[in-house]
Amino acid sequence: MNNENRESASSSHVTIADVAREAGVSQATVSRTLHGSSKVTAATRQRVLQAAESLHFTLSQNASSLASGRTNRILFLCSGPLGSWFNAGVLQGAYEVFQPERYDITPASVTGRHELDNYVASLPTMRNADAAIISSFQMTEPLEDQLSAVSMPTVGVDIPGHTRGFDASVGIDNLTGMDRAVRLLRALGHDRIAFVCDRTEEDMVYNATERRQAFLQSAETCGYSTDDATIITANDVNPRPIAELAAHLAVQLLASPVRPTAVCVETDLLAIALIKELSRQHIRVPEDLSVIGFDDAAIADAAELTTIRQDPVQLGRDAATMVLSLLQGHTLEKPHILMEPIVVLRNTTARYGHGDQD
Amino acid sequence: MNNENRESASSSHVTIADVAREAGVSQATVSRTLHGSSKVTAATRQRVLQAAESLHFTLSQNASSLASGRTNRILFLCSGPLGSWFNAGVLQGAYEVFQPERYDITPASVTGRHELDNYVASLPTMRNADAAIISSFQMTEPLEDQLSAVSMPTVGVDIPGHTRGFDASVGIDNLTGMDRAVRLLRALGHDRIAFVCDRTEEDMVYNATERRQAFLQSAETCGYSTDDATIITANDVNPRPIAELAAHLAVQLLASPVRPTAVCVETDLLAIALIKELSRQHIRVPEDLSVIGFDDAAIADAAELTTIRQDPVQLGRDAATMVLSLLQGHTLEKPHILMEPIVVLRNTTARYGHGDQD
DNA sequence: TTGAAAGCGCTAACAA
DNA sequence: TTGTTAGCGCTTTCAA
């Protein structure tokens, strides 16, 4: 191919070769300059940058990746909708950390066991990401085995107690969180309490399971008998609108042999739906029943809901920071970290027996 | 390189060559099979798929992209946090559509004009995505010029009225939305109304500007005089916590020469913050003041806020669908679409003069 | 229907 | 410090 041809053929794309020719250096030098190598003269660097600038040159990630073996891409795998409060928060936090380091994020979401298994099975041989952040899954033995076979760094988010297979993990300390909530209720004089949640059977998504256990454990520590600290849960497993679920749970709550005077609810969303349903039955919160949610999403503030706060954005930042360390070959001093949730006091909790009673 | 070497050298990755050898066919045939070409015998296809399966083979996106020129990646560029209600929703909707088509999404967020300009300037020469979805920006002339120079398909989300430079766009019809809200207030007997928003100067983010104008226009149509339909806005441009902004706006609202009896607020978030501030001043909503928000985010439901609903997830789906069409070389029958928002009635609006008055 | 071979645009030894 | 060169793993003509 002669020069005339090369020049006319370059109609499609500006390549590193164009920059090299423009700057009068080799492709290797352009590459070195663009990657901030110190082994380039200031003068050369100047010329290269100028040439790149004037040609509006952008590196082809694909070509770079293929040649270097690094993709500069991080996989973010989560369960359920990408736009959920939790997932979107983690994604945002991770982006904040990765963006300045010039890593792209590839978000992916799976909605069922089968999909998840397939995805994880493809991980060991996939060369489309340098690392993976995996969020909010209930782990299983086979899943952990597959994860162990993955050669790239993997960090788990919100998968506490199941850190096998992960190089690192961040999560929240459900036990401490529930403990604080239960202690608050005890201090407010509530003698009968309950934990309200959706179906309890093992699910793909990590959430209520551990919190439920944490609630029972905290209650025991605080001196509640098993009759005075109960679980109120949906007794079937069909997905349904949250309002319907709340109504179903409200029935169980109100019909309890010994009705609790305070409840902790799995999530803010469910807590608010429950409160609405109760208010429809003229049960007042907090006069007749104290309610504590979980998450401190924006809706908790809007509904003046007392809740246990977790911060998915910070979880995402921490996970990303660990990924970066791992990618640099560092061994983490503390690979598995747990954040302590705090209780945010608002208007749905109150001292027992001090509202007008029914 | 002899065969012994090749086999021992394959320790790092399973490549298409390994699959080809295993199946006893050429690389080309493996490639064709994996891409669902019809020009492969059923028998051959069978053998190839089996080989791929047994080796846990996954295509290297990078190598595919480099060779084919298609990246199978879509850029999602938005303003502000990736985790915001709107951005996360659009991302989720786009993901729903792209995922089954095997396109990855690369999310990116910019927070300032300068950053945005840089990003868009790199678009014309960037070969790291096949198309771009660009969300919620206030367009400028130079920006539109740059966009026009981009060779890949670009579709705008929530950038109505500024469709130059975009191949397609989806957005919401702010005029219809505000019109419905204003008509509602008129029907409820409110004679003095206002639109409450953050600073009005031209900003990077598209939002209040058009809604403000739509409000004024609707008010005029409904017969409000310019004294009876006003704008209440922050008079400085410093970013600040929403509660502080709400307090600032509450002062202006309460101190109005003729106090409005109903307001439309730029967003749900601000509406709720405003209501809280007003309640602190013992102004009751809706008895003393009717409030209509904008968005119908989850918080609107939690706070029982009457609002104008828009659906970012659907916007994302529509944008993605258009991208797909464009990528297939189709010309869209209707490239610029506008969704009609509806008013969701809740507890913050009421007939004027029917609560206990001060 | 299948195979051979020439790149896609870049990086990373190795040499100079 | 810079240039030369040999691939990275795939796709895609072109021939068979």
PDB file of all heavy atoms in Angstrom, chain B residues 73-75 97-98 103 130-134 153-156 168 316-329 332:
ATOM      1  N   ARG B  73     -21.583  -1.788  22.122  1.00  0.00           N
ATOM      2  CA  ARG B  73     -21.607  -1.022  23.357  1.00  0.00           C
ATOM      3  C   ARG B  73     -22.322   0.304  23.086  1.00  0.00           C
ATOM      4  O   ARG B  73     -22.092   0.943  22.055  1.00  0.00           O
ATOM      5  CB  ARG B  73     -20.158  -0.733  23.762  1.00  0.00           C
ATOM      6  CG  ARG B  73     -19.872  -1.041  25.211  1.00  0.00           C
ATOM      7  CD  ARG B  73     -18.376  -1.131  25.430  1.00  0.00           C
ATOM      8  NE  ARG B  73     -17.908  -2.505  25.347  1.00  0.00           N
ATOM      9  CZ  ARG B  73     -16.835  -2.886  24.679  1.00  0.00           C
ATOM     10  NH1 ARG B  73     -16.109  -2.040  24.019  1.00  0.00           N
ATOM     11  NH2 ARG B  73     -16.495  -4.161  24.689  1.00  0.00           N
ATOM     12  N   ILE B  74     -23.179   0.703  24.017  1.00  0.00           N
ATOM     13  CA  ILE B  74     -23.912   1.952  23.870  1.00  0.00           C
ATOM     14  C   ILE B  74     -23.510   2.887  25.002  1.00  0.00           C
ATOM     15  O   ILE B  74     -23.486   2.501  26.168  1.00  0.00           O
ATOM     16  CB  ILE B  74     -25.434   1.716  23.955  1.00  0.00           C
ATOM     17  CG1 ILE B  74     -25.869   0.585  23.042  1.00  0.00           C
ATOM     18  CG2 ILE B  74     -26.183   3.004  23.658  1.00  0.00           C
ATOM     19  CD1 ILE B  74     -25.761   0.870  21.578  1.00  0.00           C
ATOM     20  N   LEU B  75     -23.211   4.101  24.656  1.00  0.00           N
ATOM     21  CA  LEU B  75     -22.847   5.089  25.666  1.00  0.00           C
ATOM     22  C   LEU B  75     -24.111   5.725  26.248  1.00  0.00           C
ATOM     23  O   LEU B  75     -25.004   6.130  25.510  1.00  0.00           O
ATOM     24  CB  LEU B  75     -21.977   6.158  25.001  1.00  0.00           C
ATOM     25  CG  LEU B  75     -21.498   7.294  25.885  1.00  0.00           C
ATOM     26  CD1 LEU B  75     -20.538   6.780  26.934  1.00  0.00           C
ATOM     27  CD2 LEU B  75     -20.841   8.361  25.025  1.00  0.00           C
ATOM     28  N   VAL B  97     -33.971  -3.027  27.315  1.00  0.00           N
ATOM     29  CA  VAL B  97     -34.072  -3.192  25.863  1.00  0.00           C
ATOM     30  C   VAL B  97     -32.765  -3.700  25.248  1.00  0.00           C
ATOM     31  O   VAL B  97     -32.767  -4.541  24.356  1.00  0.00           O
ATOM     32  CB  VAL B  97     -34.478  -1.859  25.200  1.00  0.00           C
ATOM     33  CG1 VAL B  97     -34.418  -1.966  23.682  1.00  0.00           C
ATOM     34  CG2 VAL B  97     -35.867  -1.455  25.653  1.00  0.00           C
ATOM     35  N   PHE B  98     -31.654  -3.213  25.762  1.00  0.00           N
ATOM     36  CA  PHE B  98     -30.368  -3.573  25.152  1.00  0.00           C
ATOM     37  C   PHE B  98     -29.893  -4.967  25.540  1.00  0.00           C
ATOM     38  O   PHE B  98     -29.240  -5.650  24.755  1.00  0.00           O
ATOM     39  CB  PHE B  98     -29.294  -2.559  25.540  1.00  0.00           C
ATOM     40  CG  PHE B  98     -29.412  -1.267  24.807  1.00  0.00           C
ATOM     41  CD1 PHE B  98     -29.327  -0.048  25.470  1.00  0.00           C
ATOM     42  CD2 PHE B  98     -29.603  -1.255  23.427  1.00  0.00           C
ATOM     43  CE1 PHE B  98     -29.442   1.150  24.788  1.00  0.00           C
ATOM     44  CE2 PHE B  98     -29.720  -0.054  22.733  1.00  0.00           C
ATOM     45  CZ  PHE B  98     -29.638   1.145  23.418  1.00  0.00           C
ATOM     46  N   TYR B 103     -26.296  -5.950  23.721  1.00  0.00           N
ATOM     47  CA  TYR B 103     -25.519  -4.718  23.767  1.00  0.00           C
ATOM     48  C   TYR B 103     -25.179  -4.398  25.223  1.00  0.00           C
ATOM     49  O   TYR B 103     -26.032  -4.527  26.102  1.00  0.00           O
ATOM     50  CB  TYR B 103     -26.325  -3.543  23.205  1.00  0.00           C
ATOM     51  CG  TYR B 103     -26.281  -3.450  21.702  1.00  0.00           C
ATOM     52  CD1 TYR B 103     -27.288  -4.005  20.922  1.00  0.00           C
ATOM     53  CD2 TYR B 103     -25.225  -2.807  21.065  1.00  0.00           C
ATOM     54  CE1 TYR B 103     -27.245  -3.924  19.545  1.00  0.00           C
ATOM     55  CE2 TYR B 103     -25.171  -2.724  19.688  1.00  0.00           C
ATOM     56  CZ  TYR B 103     -26.187  -3.285  18.931  1.00  0.00           C
ATOM     57  OH  TYR B 103     -26.133  -3.205  17.564  1.00  0.00           O
ATOM     58  N   ASP B 130     -21.201   2.193  19.745  1.00  0.00           N
ATOM     59  CA  ASP B 130     -21.888   2.195  18.456  1.00  0.00           C
ATOM     60  C   ASP B 130     -22.931   3.294  18.383  1.00  0.00           C
ATOM     61  O   ASP B 130     -23.391   3.666  17.306  1.00  0.00           O
ATOM     62  CB  ASP B 130     -22.586   0.852  18.222  1.00  0.00           C
ATOM     63  CG  ASP B 130     -21.582  -0.283  18.121  1.00  0.00           C
ATOM     64  OD1 ASP B 130     -20.425   0.001  17.805  1.00  0.00           O
ATOM     65  OD2 ASP B 130     -21.986  -1.435  18.358  1.00  0.00           O
ATOM     66  N   ALA B 131     -23.344   3.773  19.551  1.00  0.00           N
ATOM     67  CA  ALA B 131     -24.370   4.799  19.600  1.00  0.00           C
ATOM     68  C   ALA B 131     -24.336   5.443  20.976  1.00  0.00           C
ATOM     69  O   ALA B 131     -23.696   4.927  21.895  1.00  0.00           O
ATOM     70  CB  ALA B 131     -25.750   4.195  19.344  1.00  0.00           C
ATOM     71  N   ALA B 132     -25.013   6.576  21.096  1.00  0.00           N
ATOM     72  CA  ALA B 132     -25.031   7.252  22.390  1.00  0.00           C
ATOM     73  C   ALA B 132     -26.438   7.710  22.729  1.00  0.00           C
ATOM     74  O   ALA B 132     -27.180   8.183  21.874  1.00  0.00           O
ATOM     75  CB  ALA B 132     -24.080   8.443  22.384  1.00  0.00           C
ATOM     76  N   ILE B 133     -26.784   7.531  24.001  1.00  0.00           N
ATOM     77  CA  ILE B 133     -28.006   8.114  24.533  1.00  0.00           C
ATOM     78  C   ILE B 133     -27.573   9.256  25.434  1.00  0.00           C
ATOM     79  O   ILE B 133     -26.725   9.081  26.311  1.00  0.00           O
ATOM     80  CB  ILE B 133     -28.817   7.072  25.332  1.00  0.00           C
ATOM     81  CG1 ILE B 133     -29.364   6.001  24.388  1.00  0.00           C
ATOM     82  CG2 ILE B 133     -29.947   7.740  26.094  1.00  0.00           C
ATOM     83  CD1 ILE B 133     -30.159   4.926  25.087  1.00  0.00           C
ATOM     84  N   ILE B 134     -28.112  10.422  25.188  1.00  0.00           N
ATOM     85  CA  ILE B 134     -27.668  11.610  25.914  1.00  0.00           C
ATOM     86  C   ILE B 134     -28.866  12.221  26.615  1.00  0.00           C
ATOM     87  O   ILE B 134     -29.876  12.523  25.983  1.00  0.00           O
ATOM     88  CB  ILE B 134     -26.998  12.591  24.946  1.00  0.00           C
ATOM     89  CG1 ILE B 134     -25.775  11.900  24.324  1.00  0.00           C
ATOM     90  CG2 ILE B 134     -26.596  13.875  25.645  1.00  0.00           C
ATOM     91  CD1 ILE B 134     -25.001  12.748  23.363  1.00  0.00           C
ATOM     92  N   PRO B 153     -25.112   7.028  15.722  1.00  0.00           N
ATOM     93  CA  PRO B 153     -26.449   7.483  16.090  1.00  0.00           C
ATOM     94  C   PRO B 153     -26.457   8.069  17.513  1.00  0.00           C
ATOM     95  O   PRO B 153     -25.822   7.527  18.414  1.00  0.00           O
ATOM     96  CB  PRO B 153     -27.278   6.190  16.054  1.00  0.00           C
ATOM     97  CG  PRO B 153     -26.530   5.257  15.181  1.00  0.00           C
ATOM     98  CD  PRO B 153     -25.090   5.602  15.368  1.00  0.00           C
ATOM     99  N   THR B 154     -27.150   9.173  17.667  1.00  0.00           N
ATOM    100  CA  THR B 154     -27.295   9.753  19.001  1.00  0.00           C
ATOM    101  C   THR B 154     -28.771   9.999  19.247  1.00  0.00           C
ATOM    102  O   THR B 154     -29.469  10.515  18.384  1.00  0.00           O
ATOM    103  CB  THR B 154     -26.580  11.110  19.109  1.00  0.00           C
ATOM    104  OG1 THR B 154     -27.029  11.959  18.061  1.00  0.00           O
ATOM    105  CG2 THR B 154     -25.083  10.950  19.013  1.00  0.00           C
ATOM    106  N   VAL B 155     -29.240   9.588  20.414  1.00  0.00           N
ATOM    107  CA  VAL B 155     -30.619   9.939  20.736  1.00  0.00           C
ATOM    108  C   VAL B 155     -30.691  10.665  22.061  1.00  0.00           C
ATOM    109  O   VAL B 155     -30.002  10.326  23.023  1.00  0.00           O
ATOM    110  CB  VAL B 155     -31.639   8.751  20.598  1.00  0.00           C
ATOM    111  CG1 VAL B 155     -31.003   7.499  20.094  1.00  0.00           C
ATOM    112  CG2 VAL B 155     -32.445   8.555  21.835  1.00  0.00           C
ATOM    113  N   GLY B 156     -31.465  11.720  22.057  1.00  0.00           N
ATOM    114  CA  GLY B 156     -31.585  12.576  23.236  1.00  0.00           C
ATOM    115  C   GLY B 156     -32.754  12.151  24.101  1.00  0.00           C
ATOM    116  O   GLY B 156     -33.770  11.682  23.601  1.00  0.00           O
ATOM    117  N   ALA B 168     -32.581  11.233  16.962  1.00  0.00           N
ATOM    118  CA  ALA B 168     -33.908  10.966  17.500  1.00  0.00           C
ATOM    119  C   ALA B 168     -33.955  11.499  18.918  1.00  0.00           C
ATOM    120  O   ALA B 168     -32.927  11.849  19.502  1.00  0.00           O
ATOM    121  CB  ALA B 168     -34.203   9.471  17.486  1.00  0.00           C
ATOM    122  N   GLY B 316     -36.306   5.607  28.878  1.00  0.00           N
ATOM    123  CA  GLY B 316     -35.108   4.820  28.583  1.00  0.00           C
ATOM    124  C   GLY B 316     -35.388   3.711  27.581  1.00  0.00           C
ATOM    125  O   GLY B 316     -34.627   3.500  26.640  1.00  0.00           O
ATOM    126  N   ARG B 317     -36.517   3.022  27.787  1.00  0.00           N
ATOM    127  CA  ARG B 317     -36.878   1.957  26.851  1.00  0.00           C
ATOM    128  C   ARG B 317     -37.062   2.504  25.439  1.00  0.00           C
ATOM    129  O   ARG B 317     -36.561   1.951  24.468  1.00  0.00           O
ATOM    130  CB  ARG B 317     -38.203   1.305  27.281  1.00  0.00           C
ATOM    131  CG  ARG B 317     -38.116   0.451  28.517  1.00  0.00           C
ATOM    132  CD  ARG B 317     -39.426  -0.335  28.687  1.00  0.00           C
ATOM    133  NE  ARG B 317     -39.572  -0.805  30.048  1.00  0.00           N
ATOM    134  CZ  ARG B 317     -40.445  -0.314  30.922  1.00  0.00           C
ATOM    135  NH1 ARG B 317     -41.271   0.657  30.571  1.00  0.00           N
ATOM    136  NH2 ARG B 317     -40.505  -0.784  32.153  1.00  0.00           N
ATOM    137  N   ASP B 318     -37.788   3.618  25.375  1.00  0.00           N
ATOM    138  CA  ASP B 318     -38.070   4.190  24.059  1.00  0.00           C
ATOM    139  C   ASP B 318     -36.784   4.646  23.370  1.00  0.00           C
ATOM    140  O   ASP B 318     -36.594   4.426  22.181  1.00  0.00           O
ATOM    141  CB  ASP B 318     -39.043   5.363  24.195  1.00  0.00           C
ATOM    142  CG  ASP B 318     -40.442   4.890  24.558  1.00  0.00           C
ATOM    143  OD1 ASP B 318     -40.711   3.685  24.436  1.00  0.00           O
ATOM    144  OD2 ASP B 318     -41.263   5.726  24.977  1.00  0.00           O
ATOM    145  N   ALA B 319     -35.921   5.286  24.149  1.00  0.00           N
ATOM    146  CA  ALA B 319     -34.662   5.756  23.572  1.00  0.00           C
ATOM    147  C   ALA B 319     -33.860   4.572  23.042  1.00  0.00           C
ATOM    148  O   ALA B 319     -33.321   4.613  21.931  1.00  0.00           O
ATOM    149  CB  ALA B 319     -33.858   6.526  24.614  1.00  0.00           C
ATOM    150  N   ALA B 320     -33.809   3.515  23.827  1.00  0.00           N
ATOM    151  CA  ALA B 320     -33.040   2.331  23.428  1.00  0.00           C
ATOM    152  C   ALA B 320     -33.627   1.687  22.181  1.00  0.00           C
ATOM    153  O   ALA B 320     -32.896   1.268  21.279  1.00  0.00           O
ATOM    154  CB  ALA B 320     -32.993   1.335  24.578  1.00  0.00           C
ATOM    155  N   THR B 321     -34.938   1.634  22.136  1.00  0.00           N
ATOM    156  CA  THR B 321     -35.601   1.051  20.965  1.00  0.00           C
ATOM    157  C   THR B 321     -35.254   1.840  19.709  1.00  0.00           C
ATOM    158  O   THR B 321     -34.993   1.273  18.644  1.00  0.00           O
ATOM    159  CB  THR B 321     -37.123   1.037  21.179  1.00  0.00           C
ATOM    160  OG1 THR B 321     -37.407   0.329  22.390  1.00  0.00           O
ATOM    161  CG2 THR B 321     -37.824   0.347  20.023  1.00  0.00           C
ATOM    162  N   MET B 322     -35.224   3.154  19.861  1.00  0.00           N
ATOM    163  CA  MET B 322     -34.873   3.985  18.717  1.00  0.00           C
ATOM    164  C   MET B 322     -33.419   3.772  18.311  1.00  0.00           C
ATOM    165  O   MET B 322     -33.094   3.720  17.115  1.00  0.00           O
ATOM    166  CB  MET B 322     -35.119   5.455  19.064  1.00  0.00           C
ATOM    167  CG  MET B 322     -36.595   5.762  19.245  1.00  0.00           C
ATOM    168  SD  MET B 322     -36.853   7.462  19.844  1.00  0.00           S
ATOM    169  CE  MET B 322     -37.768   8.143  18.467  1.00  0.00           C
ATOM    170  N   VAL B 323     -32.554   3.639  19.284  1.00  0.00           N
ATOM    171  CA  VAL B 323     -31.146   3.370  18.987  1.00  0.00           C
ATOM    172  C   VAL B 323     -31.022   2.099  18.161  1.00  0.00           C
ATOM    173  O   VAL B 323     -30.324   2.061  17.149  1.00  0.00           O
ATOM    174  CB  VAL B 323     -30.319   3.228  20.285  1.00  0.00           C
ATOM    175  CG1 VAL B 323     -28.966   2.598  20.000  1.00  0.00           C
ATOM    176  CG2 VAL B 323     -30.141   4.581  20.960  1.00  0.00           C
ATOM    177  N   LEU B 324     -31.729   1.074  18.588  1.00  0.00           N
ATOM    178  CA  LEU B 324     -31.679  -0.212  17.897  1.00  0.00           C
ATOM    179  C   LEU B 324     -32.129  -0.074  16.442  1.00  0.00           C
ATOM    180  O   LEU B 324     -31.483  -0.599  15.533  1.00  0.00           O
ATOM    181  CB  LEU B 324     -32.586  -1.203  18.640  1.00  0.00           C
ATOM    182  CG  LEU B 324     -31.952  -2.332  19.450  1.00  0.00           C
ATOM    183  CD1 LEU B 324     -30.542  -2.061  19.893  1.00  0.00           C
ATOM    184  CD2 LEU B 324     -32.835  -2.718  20.615  1.00  0.00           C
ATOM    185  N   SER B 325     -33.215   0.657  16.240  1.00  0.00           N
ATOM    186  CA  SER B 325     -33.702   0.880  14.875  1.00  0.00           C
ATOM    187  C   SER B 325     -32.649   1.594  14.037  1.00  0.00           C
ATOM    188  O   SER B 325     -32.333   1.187  12.919  1.00  0.00           O
ATOM    189  CB  SER B 325     -34.960   1.747  14.898  1.00  0.00           C
ATOM    190  OG  SER B 325     -36.081   0.996  15.235  1.00  0.00           O
ATOM    191  N   LEU B 326     -32.119   2.642  14.611  1.00  0.00           N
ATOM    192  CA  LEU B 326     -31.107   3.430  13.917  1.00  0.00           C
ATOM    193  C   LEU B 326     -29.902   2.565  13.551  1.00  0.00           C
ATOM    194  O   LEU B 326     -29.339   2.663  12.453  1.00  0.00           O
ATOM    195  CB  LEU B 326     -30.661   4.576  14.847  1.00  0.00           C
ATOM    196  CG  LEU B 326     -31.122   6.017  14.624  1.00  0.00           C
ATOM    197  CD1 LEU B 326     -32.235   6.166  13.621  1.00  0.00           C
ATOM    198  CD2 LEU B 326     -31.442   6.699  15.937  1.00  0.00           C
ATOM    199  N   LEU B 327     -29.515   1.700  14.479  1.00  0.00           N
ATOM    200  CA  LEU B 327     -28.364   0.826  14.272  1.00  0.00           C
ATOM    201  C   LEU B 327     -28.620  -0.168  13.139  1.00  0.00           C
ATOM    202  O   LEU B 327     -27.692  -0.625  12.478  1.00  0.00           O
ATOM    203  CB  LEU B 327     -28.072   0.075  15.575  1.00  0.00           C
ATOM    204  CG  LEU B 327     -26.793   0.374  16.361  1.00  0.00           C
ATOM    205  CD1 LEU B 327     -26.156   1.700  16.015  1.00  0.00           C
ATOM    206  CD2 LEU B 327     -27.025   0.233  17.840  1.00  0.00           C
ATOM    207  N   GLN B 328     -29.881  -0.492  12.938  1.00  0.00           N
ATOM    208  CA  GLN B 328     -30.215  -1.401  11.851  1.00  0.00           C
ATOM    209  C   GLN B 328     -30.393  -0.649  10.536  1.00  0.00           C
ATOM    210  O   GLN B 328     -30.796  -1.231   9.543  1.00  0.00           O
ATOM    211  CB  GLN B 328     -31.506  -2.169  12.189  1.00  0.00           C
ATOM    212  CG  GLN B 328     -31.278  -3.273  13.220  1.00  0.00           C
ATOM    213  CD  GLN B 328     -32.568  -3.694  13.876  1.00  0.00           C
ATOM    214  OE1 GLN B 328     -33.643  -3.438  13.361  1.00  0.00           O
ATOM    215  NE2 GLN B 328     -32.461  -4.318  15.042  1.00  0.00           N
ATOM    216  N   GLY B 329     -30.113   0.634  10.580  1.00  0.00           N
ATOM    217  CA  GLY B 329     -30.158   1.410   9.368  1.00  0.00           C
ATOM    218  C   GLY B 329     -31.544   1.891   8.984  1.00  0.00           C
ATOM    219  O   GLY B 329     -31.733   2.459   7.917  1.00  0.00           O
ATOM    220  N   LEU B 332     -36.450   6.351  11.136  1.00  0.00           N
ATOM    221  CA  LEU B 332     -37.597   6.313  12.036  1.00  0.00           C
ATOM    222  C   LEU B 332     -38.770   7.083  11.445  1.00  0.00           C
ATOM    223  O   LEU B 332     -38.595   8.170  10.893  1.00  0.00           O
ATOM    224  CB  LEU B 332     -37.217   6.908  13.388  1.00  0.00           C
ATOM    225  CG  LEU B 332     -36.065   6.177  14.088  1.00  0.00           C
ATOM    226  CD1 LEU B 332     -35.603   6.948  15.313  1.00  0.00           C
ATOM    227  CD2 LEU B 332     -36.507   4.779  14.471  1.00  0.00           C
TER     228      LEU B 332
END
